[in-house]
Amino acid sequence: MKSVVTNEYKELQESMIDRQQELKTWLKGKTNVHLSSPLIDRKKPIVKQISLAWVPAELYIESAGSLSAVLKRKRPDLAKQLDTLLDQLDADTALSFIEESLTYSQRFFRQWASEHNVSPWLAEFIAEQSLRPFLYLLADGSKNLLDSFELQGLCPCCAEPVRLAALDSDGEKTFLCPRCEAAWKLEAPACIHCGENRSEQLVSLDVETGDETEIEVCQTCSQYVKLIRISEAPAENAVRYDLETLHLDYTAQDAGYGEKLEF
Ligand SMILES: [Zn+2]
Ligand SMILES: [Zn+2]
C-alpha cells in the first residue's frame, strides 16, 4: 500500500503501538471491565455508559510513563517537556486527562499545556495514547455485544468516527476501530453513517486506490469508509491499516466526502 506518512513517523507509531500492546497485556487482571449485557443501551457508545473507575489513575500514570519513555527515545528533543508533564501527572490530573480525552476536549489540553509550559499537542497526544491500552481492554470485554448496537457513524465501543472496514471475499464488511481495536458487523448491509440501505446509494469512489483498497461513499449522507480487502484482518492491526491508508482519507475528502479530519 502507498503511504503518505514519513518513515520516521511510522517508526515512532510502530514503537508506540508495540508498547501499547504490551501495556494491554500487563493491565489484564489489574483492572476489570464489568459489562452487564441487559443493562447496556445499544444506542450509546459503551465508553459513555461506564464509570471512569475502569481506568484507575495509578495505572494510567504508569501507562503515561511507559509511553513517554518510548517517545523520548525516538524524540530526545521532547524529553524536557515530557519530564515536566509526568511531574505534574498526579491522580487528579490523571482523572482530568482521562475524562477530557474521552470527550476529545482540545480546549482543556490547550489551557493545561499553557499553564504548565508543555506543547498542547504533546499533552493531548500523551493523554490519548496512555488511554489506548485501556480502550483495547474495553473493546475486548465488549466484543460479543458490539454487533447489536444501533449507532450511526461512531464506534460502538469508544465513539471514534467510523472510517475503516475489512472486506472479505464474500463482500462482508467488518468495521474496525483504529482507536480501541473494536471489530463489529452490521446486522444487515447499510451505510454505517446514516443507515441508508438502498445498495445503489453505496458506491465505490472512482479513483485509483490499488487492488487492496477501495473507498466506499454514500450518496445519501456524503460520508465514506475505507475498505481493505484482506482475508485475515485482525482488529489489532486496525491502527496500522488506518495509517497505511491515510492517503485515502485525503482522496475522499478532496472528492467532497466525509468531514475534514485534522491530522
Ligand atoms: Zn473504538
Ligand atoms: Zn450514508
Side-chain angles (χ1 to χ4, degrees):
M1 288 184 209
K2 190 174 105 185
S3 179
V4 288
V5 292
T6 62
N7 278 342
E8 198 188 16
Y9 180 74
K10 229 178 117 183
E11 264 176 40
L12 169 64
Q13 286 287 349
E14 289 286 339
S15 317
M16 295 291 278
I17 296 165
D18 288 345
R19 181 58 60 88
Q20 283 161 335
Q21 291 295 346
E22 287 165 20
L23 285 165
K24 174 191 176 185
T25 309
W26 173 77
L27 283 171
K28 270 185 197 162
K30 289 194 168 59
T31 177
N32 276 314
V33 184
H34 293 292
L35 293 168
S36 165
S37 171
L39 297 178
I40 295 282
D41 177 355
R42 260 75 179 170
K43 294 187 185 330
K44 241 193 209 171
I46 285 178
V47 81
K48 310 256 185 221
Q49 301 186 53
I50 57 169
S51 120
L52 279 185
W54 65 282
V55 189
E58 70 279 11
L59 297 180
Y60 179 84
I61 292 168
E62 292 221 35
S63 174
S66 176
L67 289 165
S68 296
V70 174
L71 185 54
K72 255 192 235 177
R73 261 205 309 280
K74 297 275 174 188
R75 291 281 310 268
D77 57 307
L78 297 174
K80 212 174 142 228
Q81 286 195 66
L82 285 166
D83 287 341
T84 310
L85 189 154
L86 291 174
D87 272 353
Q88 301 295 327
L89 196 59
D90 55 14
D92 283 345
T93 308
L95 283 178
S96 305
F97 271 36
I98 296 161
E99 217 164 344
E100 306 292 343
S101 290
L102 288 173
T103 53
Y104 299 102
S105 171
Q106 286 183 332
R107 209 166 125 226
F108 166 84
F109 289 108
R110 269 203 300 273
Q111 172 88 21
W112 188 90
S114 80
E115 282 164 14
H116 297 91
N117 278 327
V118 175
S119 305
W121 76 265
L122 187 61
E124 202 181 339
F125 181 75
I126 290 295
E128 165 68 22
Q129 296 297 317
S130 310
L131 188 63
R132 298 271 172 110
F134 295 90
L135 291 174
Y136 297 165
L137 281 183
L138 186 63
D140 256 9
S142 51
K143 213 185 285 184
N144 301 325
L145 305 171
L146 300 179
D147 289 353
S148 59
F149 271 64
E150 298 160 38
L151 272 174
Q152 291 187 341
L154 299 179
C155 167
C157 177
C158 79
E160 174 83 357
V162 178
R163 58 180 178 273
L164 185 68
L167 197 61
D168 70 16
S169 49
D170 298 328
E172 195 171 18
K173 277 175 223 158
T174 302
F175 293 93
L176 301 172
C177 177
R179 186 180 187 216
C180 73
E181 299 183 341
W184 74 102
K185 290 180 177 161
L186 289 184
E187 280 171 342
C191 169
I192 186 83
H193 297 286
C194 73
E196 174 62 79
N197 56 13
R198 289 172 295 169
S199 58
E200 67 272 18
Q201 288 301 94
L202 295 174
V203 296
S204 181
L205 195 60
D206 191 14
V207 288
E208 185 47 61
T209 57
D211 292 339
E212 296 162 318
T213 51
E214 166 181 338
I215 303 171
E216 185 182 73
V217 299
C218 172
Q219 293 181 322
T220 305
C221 71
S222 297
Q223 297 290 332
Y224 71 92
V225 175
K226 300 182 286 186
L227 302 180
I228 44 170
R229 264 190 221 92
I230 291 175
S231 49
E232 281 286 300
E236 296 81 59
N237 284 335
V239 61
R240 291 189 176 92
Y241 297 143
D242 191 42
L243 278 175
E244 293 285 340
T245 56
L246 212 51
H247 58 289
L248 299 184
D249 292 290
Y250 292 115
T251 306
Q253 289 162 23
D254 283 348
Y257 293 94
E259 329 234 327
K260 204 103 194 103
L261 295 176
E262 284 177 35
F263 293 108

